[in-house]
Amino acid sequence: MPEIDLLKQIRSDWLQRAHQAISSGPQESDSSIPELERFFDLLEAAVSTGNSGALDPMLLEWSFSQTRPDLPSVTGVQIEWLGQLMAISFESAIKGLSETNALQLLRVLTGIFGKAMSRAAELDLQVKLAQTSNRLMQNQLDMKKLDHDKSDFIAISAHELRTPLTLIDGYASMLKESLEGVGLNSYQSMLLEGIQQGARRLHEIINDMIDASLIDNRILKLNYQPLWINQLISILEAETIPSINERQQQLEIVPFEGMSQMTYGDPDRLLQVLRNVLSNAVKFTPDGGNITLSGRKLPGFVEITISDSGIGIDPEYLLLIFDKFVRLGATALHSSSKIKFKGGGPGLGLHIAKGIIESHGGTIWAESPGFDELACPGSTFHIMVPIRTEPPDPKLAQLFAPLQESNGKTGN
Ligand code: ADP
């Protein structure tokens, strides 16, 4: 007798046993009588066509229902359930058929259930993989939205703070002028100086917040002009000397090949990069420490390095420090200062430096043997400034063409 007819003979016994197994089984299953009947129909289809793939639609449904996010993970339950249904088929066949017929049917069913089990494992894995990657994608989208909201918040609050700050600045100046008329005593001038210094620092922080949001929204505009690296370094040196003196540190500028290089870039913004890195070197180096600015010429780039004999940076954080609002343990609790040892800041300086240098087509990175406030292993920041022979905007290139020609003649 064909196997399909044998299978049909055990249908009602099989359904009864399967239903009993569900009711007493440990697993939470949605399987009901109609569902079991559907499974048996598919089993019949598999036996009559000799193709275990007939069970696939049901296996797929099980995989989805078992990986529902609201249910606990039940990996393997599907396979266990298939094993149970196979055992039930064996029992029904042995009970309801002659020995020879039972053996004939079981030979076919063993093959079909075996294949169905490996298919179930495969489907289960595929569904779980798809779910995990969906969850990952969703997390990435959430993170992006969060970062975007943070940027918007920074931009709005920075603009909102500007107006009251300008008022404070204006009133402080007016107060100073009117008091100067009647003669300022030293206590009054100290108070006024305090207000003005605080307002200046707040201005700097607000400007940093605005710069960070320009960078994050990729709308930072660069004002390309011809510039000479050594001129930037001279300005930087002159600006930094007062803080270096206050902290009794030594700043050594080692001349290097490429120092007199001319390139096109935004001089104010590039100076801001160097200033942010150098002011960190001052802040994170103890009194009396050394800071060295050096560099070299590389194909297409001038590399500027700023090394210090400061507290160093844990290798784990060498990339993280370029993110927004990052202040490592050593500084997180210190009061805000641009000069004081380990003085705190908003954690935007390096993020801005990276944004500016990358907008120029360059890169910035840090190296340090590690963080140690006592041994002071130091840190080195590398800034790669691209050498441009003309500005990116063709109209500007035309404007600066005579300069190019005269450079060509003098061989610079
Ligand atoms: P901030 O504006 O607060 O100075 P930055 O973005 O400039 O922030 O720097 C982020 C953090 O990176 C600092 O708070 C500090 O922990 C660490 N860092 C930066 N430069 C140095 C350095 N030269 N030596 C040691 N740590 C540094």
Side-chain angles (χ1 to χ4, degrees):
M1 195 187 295
E3 288 86 8
I4 181 65
D5 295 336
L6 297 173
L7 185 63
K8 282 185 173 156
Q9 282 182 32
I10 63 165
R11 184 179 179 107
S12 72
D13 184 67
W14 188 95
L15 285 172
Q16 215 179 343
R17 283 172 192 271
H19 191 235
Q20 244 169 24
I22 294 170
S23 327
S24 59
Q27 76 267 20
E28 285 269 329
S29 171
D30 293 340
S31 305
S32 55
I33 291 274
E35 199 181 351
L36 288 172
E37 279 179 339
R38 209 178 127 223
F39 181 85
F40 204 88
D41 289 344
L42 295 176
L43 190 62
E44 283 181 4
V47 170
S48 63
T49 58
N51 177 9
S52 64
L55 291 169
D56 275 8
M58 198 121 194
L59 298 181
L60 204 60
E61 273 172 37
W62 285 355
S63 292
F64 273 111
S65 71
Q66 285 183 11
T67 48
R68 268 184 1 218
D70 52 326
L71 288 181
S73 171
V74 282
T75 314
V77 165
Q78 207 189 150
I79 296 169
E80 198 185 311
W81 181 223
L82 275 172
Q84 230 174 317
L85 292 181
M86 184 164 92
I88 289 168
S89 311
F90 276 41
E91 282 164 17
S92 295
I94 289 165
K95 191 184 156 242
L97 302 173
S98 72
E99 263 178 28
T100 321
N101 283 349
L103 272 176
Q104 186 190 343
L105 178 62
L106 293 182
R107 194 182 54 81
V108 175
L109 288 183
T110 312
I112 289 174
F113 272 105
K115 279 188 189 145
M117 280 188 213
S118 72
R119 181 87 181 115
E122 200 182 300
L123 289 173
D124 202 37
L125 196 69
Q126 275 175 12
V127 170
K128 282 205 172 84
L129 262 176
Q131 270 196 335
T132 312
S133 87
N134 275 352
R135 235 174 278 145
L136 264 176
M137 244 159 66
Q138 190 53 47
N139 284 353
Q140 269 172 352
L141 288 178
D142 289 350
M143 291 292 287
K144 264 194 187 155
K145 184 170 179 324
L146 203 68
D147 204 51
H148 191 256
D149 289 352
K150 205 156 80 177
S151 263
D152 281 357
F153 173 74
I154 298 168
I156 293 165
S157 43
H159 281 288
E160 289 301 320
L161 282 172
R162 247 187 181 167
T163 318
L165 191 59
T166 313
L167 286 176
I168 296 173
D169 238 359
Y171 283 127
S173 304
M174 280 160 64
L175 201 63
K176 194 174 178 189
E177 268 171 37
S178 66
L179 283 174
E180 266 166 2
V182 291
L184 262 173
N185 66 35
S186 61
Y187 181 61
Q188 287 168 330
S189 32
M190 188 213 38
L191 290 182
L192 274 171
E193 180 51 32
I195 297 174
Q196 286 183 315
Q197 206 181 327
R200 269 199 299 276
R201 181 77 190 110
L202 259 177
H203 263 305
E204 283 169 6
I205 292 175
I206 289 172
N207 287 341
D208 276 356
M209 286 163 79
I210 292 172
D211 284 348
S213 80
L214 291 178
I215 287 165
D216 290 348
N217 291 297
R218 298 177 199 281
I219 48 172
L220 179 79
K221 286 212 171 69
L222 294 177
N223 181 12
Y224 274 93
Q225 290 172 34
L227 62 88
W228 285 262
I229 305 279
N230 51 7
Q231 284 183 356
L232 292 184
I233 294 175
S234 301
I235 301 171
L236 182 73
E237 185 182 13
E239 272 184 1
T240 321
I241 289 293
S243 344
I244 291 279
N245 290 341
E246 191 180 321
R247 300 286 319 284
Q248 293 153 14
Q249 293 166 335
Q250 288 79 46
L251 171 64
E252 192 189 356
I253 296 184
V254 183
F256 58 92
E257 200 209 336
M259 196 159 165
S260 55
Q261 177 70 46
M262 186 214 129
T263 182
Y264 280 87
D266 186 325
D268 293 334
R269 290 297 188 179
L270 287 174
L271 190 59
Q272 193 179 353
V273 172
L274 297 174
R275 187 186 293 131
N276 287 359
V277 175
L278 188 58
S279 73
N280 277 342
V282 173
K283 269 202 310 193
F284 297 109
T285 301
D287 288 1
N290 301 312
I291 297 168
T292 309
L293 186 151
S294 173
R296 59 181 170 157
K297 192 171 174 182
L298 292 167
F301 290 90
V302 171
E303 180 185 8
I304 303 171
T305 48
I306 297 180
S307 311
D308 61 56
S309 61
I311 58 175
I313 303 162
D314 194 320
E316 196 183 329
Y317 297 122
L318 286 171
L319 288 178
L320 195 78
I321 52 172
F322 294 97
D323 282 356
K324 272 195 298 264
F325 303 120
V326 170
R327 289 148 20 134
L328 304 182
T331 53
L333 300 173
H334 285 70
S335 58
S336 169
S337 172
K338 286 217 110 174
I339 303 172
K340 274 194 218 147
F341 184 39
K342 296 188 280 184
L348 291 173
L350 290 180
H351 182 68
I352 294 171
K354 185 173 192 276
I356 294 175
I357 203 75
E358 286 181 354
S359 308
H360 276 84
T363 56
I364 178 171
W365 74 97
E367 279 174 354
S368 174
F371 170 76
D372 190 329
E373 286 183 80
L374 295 177
C376 284
S379 312
T380 300
F381 282 76
H382 300 256
I383 303 160
M384 300 282 271
V385 183
I387 302 173
R388 279 184 179 273
T389 50
E390 57 178 31
D393 179 353
K395 280 189 196 143
L396 273 182
Q398 225 174 351
L399 184 72
F400 290 118
L403 184 81
Q404 287 295 118
E405 280 161 27
S406 75
N407 267 341
K409 272 181 212 144
T410 53
N412 278 334

